[in-house]
Amino acid sequence: MITEPELEGGWDDDRPAAPAREDGADAEVRRPRAPWLWALGGALVASAVWAALPVLQDRSFGAPRIAYRHSEDLCKETRLDTLLKTTAPAMSNHRAHRESPALDWSHCEYFTEWQEKGTSYQMQIMVELHKKTDPEAEFGVTPGVFGEVRSNSGEVEQVAGLGERALMTSRSPYTSGPRLQVLDGGAVFTLAVGWLGDTDEAGGEGPQPDEDAVKAAMIEDMRILMARLRR
């Protein structure tokens, strides 16, 4: 007849001896993490994934997201009121647009009145909707439909609060004025301002505008246009 000690001994022969518990502190160290901590960690990870999902979808799966509508008459959508108040009244405008399976674009160009001994301005605004290819890789690098609008020169700085990414290029010896570009999903917005000062009798260049004020007006008019075109 197998006694109780023999039964216990038979089961314990192949098992390692359990470590002795010296005090309550060791038990506390070995205690499994509270379930709510695991739940909280999982919730934080899930929240981060869901927050990043729209951007991942925009950049990784299929056609880029387009949150803006195409306009056949961009001059109607924006009169660049802030810019014109900062510079000079508009004398005329010119518009153009095109639609295709891969790209829809619309363009508007304003010219201000020429003033003797003053400064004349040219303003170009363009909206491109890329329906098949993500424009992120070429944003701010290659020329778009109008190469003169996207020429690369001058100091470039980031602009906060416009789309996913916005760049402001300052005037340089090779450009006639600043340029603002905004990327948001498959949409690219470009606003360029150029000016020419009338030469005075002494042969010097005419009055020049406050470039910082022009840039601030460009940002404001771009913000208004993007809000107007948003679906």
Side-chain angles (χ1 to χ4, degrees), residues 136-172:
E136 182 186 32
E138 298 181 348
F139 176 70
V141 178
T142 60
V145 178
F146 295 88
E148 68 278 7
V149 175
R150 295 282 195 85
S151 58
N152 290 316
S153 55
E155 182 180 348
V156 180
E157 57 184 329
Q158 300 279 345
V159 178
L162 288 177
E164 296 175 23
R165 187 182 174 201
L167 303 175
M168 177 71 80
T169 304
S170 299
R171 189 186 188 201
S172 76

